[in-house]
């Protein structure tokens, strides 16, 4: 409606947000994009001093912001009055979300890292937040990869995240300490369903190890890193360094077709 909303972190040479001139923390500015100089219409300053923004999602007259330094506050922000934006709710949980996406009017999906209350990070996590009570957001469910530590390209590149109807898919790489080499590793595409009533449910983990052996030789024990996924009609395409595997959402671990990239 002719307004530009921008989320920023006040920052100096140190990690985190600045505290100079009474402007500590993280902010939302509302600008009039229809005027030549885009004058400031409204502002919300100083959220979570000492932290920085990891994710923001604007949805109509609402916004969701995640900041992080040791714990993850998820802020719910009312933008219905552009001249007076207000933070109305806050949820503090371990870890953080690096990506947020609205699921209907009452839920938000988060992709990020699980953690502990001391600020340690344990691995990749998909979270479902209930924002039906906008002033009191809650974490309805969380899904983590079953290993000792994991990460994902989805943490820094949202193109690696696929959300299609009631399904979310992200690349995931993980380690479990122990095993023949001191650890066992896994790499693949984590696929889960999103149910706003029951939460998140993992439906598959697509591993391209067989495709890697076809491309790089029968002796290869390397699980190639997953890069992207996409839907074409009713088919799920998982794309890795070794090639492309086509499967269905109902049974994602069973390939319908494979395309090796030699």
């Amino acid at each position: 409606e002719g307004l530009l909303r921008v989320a920023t972190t006040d920052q100096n040479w140190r990690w985190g947000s600045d505290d100079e001139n009474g402007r500590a923390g993280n902010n939302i500015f509302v600008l009039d994009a229809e005027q030549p100089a885009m004058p400031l219409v409204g502002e919300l300053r100083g959220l979570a001093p000492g932290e920085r923004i990891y994710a923001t999602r604007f949805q109509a007259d609402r916004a969701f912001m995640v900041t992080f330094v040791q714990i993850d506050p998820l802020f719910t922000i009312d933008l219905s009055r552009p001249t007076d934006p207000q933070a109305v709710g806050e949820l503090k949980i371990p870890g953080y979300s690096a990506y947020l996406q609205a699921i209907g009017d009452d839920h938000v999906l988060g992709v990020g890292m699980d953690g502990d209350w001391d600020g340690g990070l344990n691995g990749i996590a998909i979270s479902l937040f209930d924002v039906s009570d906008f002033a009191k957001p809650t974490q309805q469910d969380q899904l983590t990869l079953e290993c000792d530590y994991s990460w994902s390209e989805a943490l820094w590149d949202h193109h690696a995240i696929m959300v299609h109807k009631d399904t979310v898919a992200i690349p995931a790489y993980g380690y479990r300490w122990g095993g023949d080499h001191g650890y066992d590793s896994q790499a693949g595409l984590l696929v889960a369903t999103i149910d706003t009533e029951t939460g998140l449910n993992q439906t598959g983990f697509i591993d391209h190890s067989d495709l890697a052996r076809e491309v790089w030789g029968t002796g290869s024990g390397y699980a190639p890193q997953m890069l992207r996924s996409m839907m074409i009609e009713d088919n799920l395409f998982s794309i890795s360094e070794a090639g492309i595997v086509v499967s269905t959402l109902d049974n994602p671990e069973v390939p319908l077709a494979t395309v090796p990239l030699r």
Side-chain angles (χ1 to χ4, degrees):
E1 297 179 355
L3 299 173
L4 173 67
R5 289 94 62 96
V6 183
T8 70
T9 296
D10 294 323
Q11 193 165 5
N12 59 18
W13 63 271
R14 298 186 301 273
W15 184 261
S17 57
D18 202 352
D19 58 1
E20 295 177 357
N21 303 318
R23 298 177 56 190
N26 305 280
N27 322 290
I28 287 183
F29 298 101
V30 183
L31 309 174
D32 187 345
E34 295 184 342
Q35 299 298 319
M38 288 200 298
L40 187 66
V41 173
E43 61 184 19
L44 172 64
R45 290 183 180 268
L47 290 175
E51 304 182 9
R52 69 179 180 91
I53 295 173
Y54 271 61
T56 304
R57 172 65 64 175
F58 294 99
Q59 182 195 31
D61 60 0
R62 306 189 302 175
F64 306 93
M65 179 191 291
V66 169
T67 63
F68 179 74
V69 65
Q70 284 190 315
I71 57 174
D72 163 11
L74 169 69
F75 294 99
T76 55
I77 300 166
D78 183 356
L79 297 172
S80 59
R81 295 177 58 193
T83 58
D84 188 27
Q86 294 290 324
V88 297
E90 179 180 356
L91 171 66
K92 291 185 177 181
I93 55 174
Y96 67 88
S97 293
Y99 175 84
L100 297 172
Q101 180 163 330
I103 305 295
D105 293 330
D106 295 333
H107 293 82
V108 174
L109 186 75
V111 176
M113 293 285 277
D114 183 26
D116 57 45
W117 290 104
D118 294 324
L121 298 175
N122 302 324
I124 189 73
I126 303 173
S127 298
L128 184 65
F129 300 102
D130 186 334
V131 295
S132 55
D133 186 343
F134 201 60
K136 296 180 180 179
T138 62
Q139 186 183 57
Q140 181 176 337
D141 200 6
Q142 186 180 74
L143 177 65
T144 60
L145 191 66
E146 294 184 0
C147 57
D148 293 326
Y149 187 76
S150 59
W151 71 98
S152 172
E153 187 175 350
L155 295 173
W156 57 85
D157 189 345
H158 70 273
H159 296 98
I161 303 168
M162 186 203 73
V163 179
H164 176 76
K165 296 181 179 178
D166 62 348
T167 298
V168 56
I170 62 170
Y173 327 117
Y175 289 92
R176 180 176 288 108
W177 306 116
D180 296 337
H181 304 287
Y183 63 89
D184 292 321
S185 63
Q186 57 181 322
L189 185 73
L190 177 63
V191 185
T193 56
I194 309 164
D195 190 310
T196 56
E197 297 294 331
T198 61
L200 301 165
N201 179 53
Q202 183 174 332
T203 55
F205 189 80
I206 303 174
D207 186 323
H208 282 198
S209 295
D210 290 342
L211 196 59
R213 282 188 285 271
E214 180 180 348
V215 174
W216 295 314
T218 57
S220 174
Y222 175 65
Q225 291 192 1
M226 200 68 65
L227 304 174
R228 297 287 186 270
S229 62
M230 62 183 298
M231 291 294 301
I232 300 179
E233 296 180 347
D234 294 327
N235 296 317
L236 173 63
F237 288 69
S238 54
I239 305 165
S240 74
E241 298 170 309
I244 302 171
V245 173
V246 186
S247 58
T248 66
L249 287 179
D250 294 336
N251 200 358
E253 294 183 356
V254 178
L256 300 176
T258 61
V259 181
L261 299 177
R262 302 184 185 278

